[in-house]
Amino acid sequence: MNKKEKIAFIGKKLDELYPNPPIPLNYTNAFTMLVAVVLSAQCTDIRVNQVTAVLFKKADTPQKMLKLGVDGIAEIIKPCGFFNTKSANIFKLSQALIKEFDGSVPQTFEELESLPGVGHKTASVIMSHIFKQPAFPVDTHIHRLAERWGLSDGSSVEKTEADLKKVFPPEEWEKRHLQIIYFGRNECKARGHKAENCPICSAVGCK
């Protein structure tokens, strides 16, 4: 199987298993999605959704988030871990949204990445899922599977993102990002992985 055939097989198998992959984080607007992604660093989506169910009832806008204060935010998000840093960043990014963007979440990478606690991956998630702009967020599952499948060399997240953007067309990026995450969680795990039992590795080989 050459690389072109491998990519076609991977895409077909992902479409079979996850034809309409849902966004795993619960949100109601661009702001709540941004906060949820910030909280998701070093935390499971399940835990984030449990925390945001409480947080967003009290604060689903930057203005309401500021009223909670850093301590109020921290108290709610404690189960997510790194809550001191995350609460400070959520408070500061809420301030920045009000001061610099009239309370709205900006729609460019540069502006998003200027916000406290918002890196390239977080900005990519917002650009892709909220504003429907071509972006390919790379998390640990995607980084791991891209190397495992020989689509990238695993040298850096930046390299993985660039390589995946080359092998999949832009109109597929949003879907592929979610599909590979689900596949990595459910079918092709980091530990105890057996290529012969994996729907993709068993066909295309893996490292």
Side-chain angles (χ1 to χ4, degrees):
M1 187 180 293
N2 60 37
K3 188 171 184 179
K4 186 176 180 180
E5 292 170 334
K6 178 192 290 189
I7 294 164
F9 179 87
I10 290 171
K12 182 179 179 181
K13 185 58 67 174
L14 290 174
D15 286 340
E16 288 175 2
L17 292 171
Y18 305 101
N20 297 294
I23 296 171
L25 295 171
N26 296 335
Y27 68 100
T28 56
N29 54 39
F31 175 69
T32 55
M33 178 62 158
L34 180 60
V35 172
V37 179
V38 169
L39 289 172
S40 70
Q42 306 294 316
C43 186
T44 66
D45 292 337
I46 292 174
R47 181 63 57 82
V48 171
N49 288 336
Q50 291 171 342
V51 166
T52 56
V54 177
L55 180 64
F56 295 157
K57 282 183 179 179
K58 296 186 176 183
D60 59 356
T61 67
Q63 293 83 357
K64 291 178 182 177
M65 196 65 74
L66 291 187
K67 289 182 180 180
L68 281 181
V70 176
D71 291 341
I73 298 168
E75 185 64 30
I76 295 171
I77 69 168
K78 269 185 180 181
C80 279
F82 301 98
F83 62 90
N84 287 325
T85 299
K86 290 178 180 179
S87 60
N89 282 335
I90 290 169
F91 185 84
K92 290 175 184 176
L93 75 81
S94 298
Q95 285 182 317
L97 289 176
I98 293 169
K99 183 178 180 181
E100 300 172 29
F101 303 106
D102 297 320
S104 298
V105 176
Q107 299 185 31
T108 69
F109 275 102
E110 184 178 9
E111 290 172 326
L112 281 167
E113 291 176 29
S114 73
L115 297 170
V118 178
H120 182 68
K121 179 201 162 190
T122 297
S124 294
V125 172
I126 301 303
M127 290 297 286
S128 177
H129 299 315
I130 297 298
F131 300 125
K132 303 304 178 181
Q133 296 299 309
F136 207 125
V138 175
D139 78 338
T140 54
H141 296 290
I142 294 172
H143 186 54
R144 173 170 56 81
L145 294 194
E147 181 184 12
R148 181 173 281 177
W149 294 337
L151 302 182
S152 192
D153 62 12
S155 59
S156 70
V157 171
E158 293 77 14
K159 180 72 161 51
T160 295
E161 180 182 345
D163 289 340
L164 291 177
K165 284 180 174 179
K166 291 176 184 176
V167 301
F168 295 115
E171 62 269 20
E172 294 183 357
W173 291 352
E174 181 182 11
K175 176 177 66 172
R176 296 292 180 230
H177 151 71
L178 292 171
Q179 287 173 328
I180 297 173
I181 288 174
Y182 282 113
F183 191 86
R185 289 176 178 175
N186 302 326
E187 318 287 343
C188 199
K189 300 179 180 181
R191 296 180 181 178
H193 175 258
K194 293 183 179 180
E196 63 270 21
N197 296 331
C198 174
I200 289 179
C201 292
S202 60
V204 306
C206 68
K207 294 183 178 179

